[in-house]
Amino acid sequence: MNWKTNSRTARTATCRSCRPFGPHGVRHPAKTLLGTCLPYSLLLPVLLLFSCEREERPLVVQPPLAQDASLPQISDLVPGPKHNKGPSVANPDENNSWMMAEGKRFYEAYNCVGCHAHGGGGMGPALMDEKWIYGYEPQQVYATIVEGRPNGMPSFRGKISNDQLWEIVAYVRSLSGLANQWAANARDDHIKGGSPPNSIPEGTPHNSSEPQPR
Amino acid sequence: MNVSHAPIASLSAPNEQAERALAALWTRPPGLLGWLCSTNHKDIGRRYVVTAFIFFGMAGLLAAAMRIQLAFPENHFLGPDLYNQFFTVHGTTMMFLFAVPIMEGFALYFVPLMVGTRNAAFPRLNAFGYYAYLGGGLLLWGGFLVNAGADAGWFAYTPLSGPDFSPGHRVDIWADMITLTEISALSGAVVVLATVFKQRAPGMSLNRIPLFVWAQVVTSFMIIFAMPAVMVVTAFLAMDRLAHVNTHFFNPAEGGDALLYQHLFWFFGHPEVYIIFIPATGMVSMIVETFSGRRLFGYPVMVLSLIATAFIGFGLWVHHMFATPIPLLGRSFFSAASMMIAIPSGIQIFCWIVTLWTGRPRLRVPLLFVCGFILLFVLGGLTGVMLASVPLDLQMHDTYFVVAHFHYVLIGGAVFPLFGAFYYWFPKWTGRMLNDSLGKWNFWTLFLGFNLTFFPMHILGLHGMTRRIYTYVAETGWGDLNLLATVGAGIIALSVLLFIVNAVTALRDGIFAVANPWLAPSLEWSTNSPPPAYNFYNLPSVSDAEPLWHSPEQKPVVVGLSTEKREVLNTTIMDAVPEHRYELATDSIWPLALGIVVTLTMTFVVFTPWAVPWGMFFSLLVLYAWFWRGNEPKFIVEAAKPKPQVAAQPTLVAPA
């Protein structure tokens, strides 16, 4: 808006009926405004490039089927990290806030909370420390939930749908700081426990020994 | 009463040379950099208004999309997630980025002109306020564009908005954007108050201040008392959500209180409604006075009723929370208080009607909008009294009845006066007149579209349609009325488009405006249209509430202000007796720099608490530059003397 200049005010003083801008070759205010704003509006597409997958919340139109969750049965006798280690499978849910929050809902709804509490453990082992008995990779956690493990972990095969399972996996791993920190959940509206998933320094998970019978 | 269309000669420059010298002193530096540095209240006010209007358009488009979604049962135009973001960003934008800033923009532009001074007080703070506001707007809309639009409603109740139920950073962006816009609102309020209380023209005692200025004074006080509550509550919310901070303000399991959020929010939120509405009453008063050609009926009563509205407005926030477990005594008290506020509002309405009744009204476009305002606002006020009753409120809480009510009071009570004000002050602003017949089309389409959109919502609400649902099934029978509302929304969109067309064509080749095209009584019309950078060559003096209606050429004027420094005249609070000269700060880039630093701080604090110390550090650096010696004005030259020589300089002299 360069239309208010010295020459303009000077003209106003000499001839009050003359108009200060427009016909006298001074740039039109609307044009100047457009000229100023237009180049910056080109930055908008750049913003869109950052479109956040962390914040996506897809709509599940069809109710998911629990039968989806299938994993080749491995021997009940030798469970453990060695058998299903394999190459790490990336779990996209670990980059998405909504998915992990859903994982937390299912974690409570399917009563994971009954044994593992809110990560601190109880009847079952703690999930918020860096020790993992049956492996910490996403596919290992997945297998642990689907197959069940000795000393009390039941199999959830056929009980939880596949996408919900991966959401639970993402949440469980976030409890020990293994998920994307920028997407991880903040604190719960519960009694204060350990640090919430978004406030945990990135852990160095390691495999621990098999649980001792209690 | 001999009113002239021409500018008042005694307030204008004696010759071209003198005019040019003063204009050079007060005009901002040339170029884009000069534009960014400007501390002129007219530049800043215009920026506020234009920016707020752009946000109004964008939020209006969101509303249109929501209406399309709701036009038919089980529509899939927007999904539930997008719908949540749309209504939240719509509401937030309309409240925080449109209604409050546009009123403040009008205040910053017109208050200094109306009280007869050359610039607003604290010019750099004023410039900073705009940049903070713009930063807040960009933060909210930037988040919206990257799929992180706020989605917990415009008031973001906990626990929904809390860390447990709103994952991601959407609500953090909302909370931090609130902080930025409130910083801006507070700066504007301080600027307006200081300008009105210390820079009025000599003789403009408190009972001679134009009602628009009174309205802005009352609003500014409300802002100062209400906004800290929302800044505190959004800061609490952000701290509850922020990684590594994890406070428990709103977590009942740890002794926090989710209801505390609602109390703090509505302690701001209800006065907010009046922060939007009271400036509109000021606009209406000015328009009614001008177009009925007589002094406003009951001026002191009007002022007192504005102040009463402000006081009562702080005492009824709980009526937003009747559905929460509030003790019965509390409900009764706030129910009574809510009904009581209809009294001052009723007084205002009657004063305007009597003024029109006993005057000689000219039904030009601004007055047309005011008539629309009176009708719609009374309707909205009536549903307001209904909602103040606890049993009715419990039935209609969170239904479309409430949506209808607050759109009637906010659009009827603020947007209609605002459009009237646009038509009224556009000539002063740009030097061009808006087209009258297009204006009438604009009014009637807006009036029709508005009622078509929002009246059916009363009925929908009574039928049980709840707010914030993204769709409904056909069996509810809500389809027809919703379709009608959507048609109405289309007409509103058409009307706003008409207004934009009118404004753009007027800017290009509208009729040139004289200094006082409406024969109005207040001081902003005594100078050229648009006003020069310094507003008045000689500052006016005033001996009554309608200075331009009582032989303004014969009034004494103030001379003796510096032509080397940007000086204004300071006067006493009560009677506006000249006290001393006061040098205002010059144009500066540092308000922009501080605006950027504060915006970046509030952006990064979405992710990490470390943004706060770093932001403070950089803000401090910028403030050092801002206040660097030699850079700052040498103010209160006169006051430093043992006894201020009020009579000597500046002096009131009779015009030659």
Side-chain angles (χ1 to χ4, degrees):
Chain A
M1 283 201 237
N2 283 324
W3 45 285
K4 193 188 311 200
T5 60
N6 285 348
S7 63
R8 206 264 305 151
T9 34
R11 199 179 303 112
T12 331
T14 48
C15 166
R16 291 186 205 291
S17 58
C18 266
R19 292 332 298 165
F21 54 80
H24 299 293
V26 183
R27 222 172 151 210
H28 194 272
K31 275 186 194 160
T32 321
L33 190 69
L34 257 184
T36 319
C37 297
L38 211 62
Y40 297 107
S41 66
L42 295 180
L43 291 174
L44 274 184
V46 180
L47 252 184
L48 289 172
L49 285 180
F50 292 100
S51 253
C52 253
E53 59 177 302
R54 291 203 305 269
E55 297 282 353
E56 270 171 24
R57 298 186 186 185
L59 174 64
V60 181
V61 182
Q62 294 289 324
L65 292 173
Q67 278 73 31
D68 288 352
S70 58
L71 201 76
Q73 180 90 28
I74 55 172
S75 164
D76 281 340
L77 295 174
V78 274
K82 287 184 191 118
H83 287 266
N84 48 25
K85 171 80 187 190
S88 176
V89 177
N91 179 7
D93 293 358
E94 287 180 8
N95 285 319
N96 185 294
S97 302
W98 174 250
M99 299 294 195
M100 281 192 278
E102 288 293 280
K104 181 166 74 179
R105 303 271 162 264
F106 296 132
Y107 180 88
E108 288 171 15
Y110 291 117
N111 204 26
C112 310
V113 75
C115 300
H116 298 279
H118 292 286
M123 208 190 312
L127 299 175
M128 57 201 296
D129 58 11
E130 68 278 16
K131 287 182 280 187
W132 295 81
I133 301 165
Y134 299 107
Y136 50 82
E137 295 289 351
Q139 78 276 16
Q140 291 172 316
V141 179
Y142 179 92
T144 301
I145 300 171
V146 172
E147 293 172 345
R149 293 292 180 238
N151 291 323
M153 175 78 188
S155 162
F156 285 85
R157 183 193 307 279
K159 295 190 170 58
I160 307 179
S161 76
N162 214 14
D163 41 352
Q164 292 178 356
L165 270 170
W166 285 111
E167 287 169 354
I168 297 172
V169 169
Y171 172 68
V172 165
R173 276 171 48 88
S174 79
L175 283 175
S176 54
L178 295 180
N180 182 347
Q181 285 281 301
W182 301 114
N185 290 155
R187 69 151 176 81
D188 301 326
D189 281 348
H190 295 142
I191 302 273
K192 189 167 177 281
S195 298
N198 69 352
S199 307
I200 301 171
E202 199 175 337
T204 46
H206 59 80
N207 293 326
S208 97
S209 58
E210 305 226 343
Q212 301 303 311
R214 285 165 189 254
Chain B
M1 188 169 105
N2 53 339
V3 192
S4 155
H5 285 300
I8 309 301
S10 60
L11 302 180
S12 311
N15 55 54
E16 193 183 336
Q17 202 175 3
E19 200 283 337
R20 198 171 287 181
L22 199 63
L25 172 65
W26 284 88
T27 309
R28 61 174 146 76
L32 180 65
L33 191 67
W35 189 71
L36 293 172
C37 290
S38 176
T39 52
N40 189 307
H41 73 99
K42 294 186 288 298
D43 286 342
I44 295 162
R46 192 164 45 218
R47 278 173 209 175
Y48 266 108
V49 173
V50 171
T51 315
F53 195 79
I54 291 172
F55 280 125
F56 172 72
M58 296 202 295
L61 289 178
L62 296 186
M66 289 190 285
R67 281 318 318 168
I68 293 171
Q69 162 65 20
L70 290 176
F72 307 103
E74 296 188 73
N75 200 358
H76 286 292
F77 179 67
L78 300 174
D81 177 44
L82 214 50
Y83 190 83
N84 288 354
Q85 293 185 50
F86 270 42
F87 73 68
T88 304
V89 175
H90 165 81
T92 308
T93 304
M94 285 299 191
M95 295 300 273
F96 295 101
L97 300 177
F98 162 66
V100 176
I102 204 164
M103 295 301 180
E104 207 139 65
F106 269 92
L108 292 173
Y109 194 98
F110 287 111
V111 162
L113 283 163
M114 285 181 182
V115 302
T117 186
R118 286 183 175 165
N119 196 0
F122 311 133
R124 290 188 184 177
L125 178 68
N126 200 2
F128 164 68
Y130 171 75
Y131 293 122
Y133 156 60
L134 185 65
L138 292 180
L139 182 57
L140 181 75
W141 279 79
F144 183 57
L145 287 179
V146 299
N147 210 357
D151 64 346
W154 82 273
F155 38 66
Y157 280 170
T158 55
L160 173 65
S161 64
D164 204 354
F165 295 94
S166 274
H169 293 294
R170 295 174 170 187
V171 175
D172 300 300
I173 288 177
W174 178 86
D176 295 333
M177 160 268 170
I178 300 288
T179 307
L180 283 170
T181 53
E182 303 321 349
I183 290 174
S184 150
L186 284 168
S187 333
V190 169
V191 168
V192 167
L193 280 184
T195 310
V196 175
F197 283 153
K198 291 310 289 179
Q199 288 182 215
R200 296 200 305 277
M204 189 183 275
S205 48
L206 286 184
N207 58 343
R208 292 173 186 158
I209 302 179
L211 262 167
F212 178 78
V213 177
W214 258 120
Q216 293 293 354
V217 168
V218 173
T219 307
S220 300
F221 271 116
M222 292 190 79
I223 287 177
I224 287 174
F225 286 104
M227 297 289 177
V230 76
M231 284 177 77
V232 163
V233 77
T234 53
F236 283 178
L237 179 63
M239 282 154 76
D240 264 17
R241 300 176 49 88
L242 186 55
H244 304 291
V245 177
N246 303 317
T247 53
H248 290 263
F249 286 110
F250 305 121
N251 177 11
E254 280 292 340
D257 189 350
L259 210 55
L260 172 69
Y261 182 92
Q262 294 194 23
H263 278 294
L264 281 173
F265 187 89
W266 287 116
F267 185 76
F268 143 83
H270 198 80
E272 162 93 346
V273 176
Y274 294 99
I275 287 168
I276 293 166
F277 171 65
I278 289 181
T281 65
M283 294 166 172
V284 169
S285 302
M286 302 303 275
I287 294 172
V288 164
E289 186 168 61
T290 297
F291 289 98
S292 57
R294 61 151 287 172
R295 169 161 210 205
L296 198 80
F297 176 84
Y299 174 98
V301 184
M302 278 298 282
V303 174
L304 290 176
S305 75
L306 287 181
I307 296 171
T309 308
F311 268 101
I312 303 173
F314 276 98
L316 35 77
W317 76 92
V318 172
H319 72 212
H320 296 268
M321 302 162 56
F322 281 155
T324 62
I326 299 288
L328 203 58
L329 183 67
R331 286 190 212 178
S332 316
F333 175 85
F334 284 100
S335 178
S338 309
M339 291 179 185
M340 192 161 78
I341 201 147
I343 298 172
S345 300
I347 290 173
Q348 290 156 21
I349 299 277
F350 281 117
C351 283
W352 293 319
I353 291 176
V354 172
T355 311
L356 286 169
W357 195 283
T358 55
R360 277 158 297 167
R362 293 169 285 157
L363 202 62
R364 304 295 295 271
V365 178
L367 193 60
L368 213 52
F369 275 101
V370 165
C371 294
F373 151 80
I374 292 178
L375 202 71
L376 299 178
F377 181 70
V378 167
L379 274 174
L382 285 177
T383 52
V385 176
M386 290 167 73
L387 286 171
S389 149
V390 176
L392 268 178
D393 183 81
L394 286 177
Q395 277 298 308
M396 300 190 286
H397 192 83
D398 267 353
T399 67
Y400 263 79
F401 191 88
V402 178
V403 178
H405 159 70
F406 70 70
H407 281 93
Y408 264 83
V409 282
L410 287 175
I411 297 186
V415 176
F416 270 76
L418 205 57
F419 272 101
F422 265 116
Y423 279 90
Y424 182 59
W425 278 306
F426 193 85
K428 181 49 64 188
W429 213 344
T430 62
R432 308 271 187 150
M433 305 290 285
L434 284 168
N435 185 311
D436 241 26
S437 46
L438 253 182
K440 281 182 179 147
W441 274 98
N442 180 5
F443 168 76
W444 285 111
T445 45
L446 189 63
F447 191 77
L448 179 76
F450 171 78
N451 282 300
L452 268 185
T453 309
F454 293 104
F455 197 82
M457 290 186 188
H458 290 114
I459 303 163
L460 281 171
L462 291 174
H463 286 180
M465 181 168 168
T466 47
R467 291 171 78 174
R468 308 200 182 94
I469 48 169
Y470 86 105
T471 193
Y472 51 93
V473 289
E475 286 75 15
T476 54
W478 301 335
D480 295 342
L481 286 176
N482 269 305
L483 186 60
L484 190 65
T486 303
V487 171
I491 300 176
I492 295 179
L494 180 76
S495 175
V496 175
L497 200 65
L498 276 181
F499 173 76
I500 295 170
V501 167
N502 199 352
V504 171
T505 48
L507 276 175
R508 287 179 74 88
D509 36 35
I511 306 168
F512 295 128
V514 289
N516 190 358
W518 314 113
L519 301 175
S522 48
L523 279 178
E524 81 270 26
W525 302 102
S526 66
T527 181
N528 284 309
S529 304
Y534 50 81
N535 291 353
F536 307 96
Y537 187 84
N538 296 320
L539 298 189
S541 74
V542 164
S543 56
D544 45 62
E546 299 86 20
L548 297 196
W549 282 354
H550 303 282
S551 36
E553 300 282 357
Q554 265 81 58
K555 302 269 170 61
V557 296
V558 179
V559 299
L561 286 180
S562 172
T563 50
E564 316 281 310
K565 297 173 289 185
R566 291 191 177 179
E567 273 186 357
V568 292
L569 179 67
N570 272 12
T571 51
T572 54
I573 289 188
M574 297 294 285
D575 294 326
V577 177
E579 274 184 331
H580 53 75
R581 294 174 296 166
Y582 177 83
E583 189 188 342
L584 292 182
T586 48
D587 296 325
S588 159
I589 194 69
W590 296 112
L592 172 64
L594 189 63
I596 292 173
V597 168
V598 172
T599 305
L600 287 180
T601 307
M602 296 320 289
T603 310
F604 283 108
V605 86
V606 165
F607 301 103
T608 165
W610 284 103
V612 176
W614 281 106
M616 284 169 75
F617 173 71
F618 284 114
S619 301
L620 215 63
L621 282 190
V622 172
L623 284 171
Y624 268 118
W626 179 319
F627 294 112
W628 195 253
R629 273 187 77 80
N631 209 0
E632 90 282 25
K634 294 150 202 70
F635 55 93
I636 322 195
V637 181
E638 312 291 321
K641 292 176 186 172
K643 213 162 184 179
Q645 301 292 308
V646 175
Q649 244 190 2
T651 21
L652 293 175
V653 298

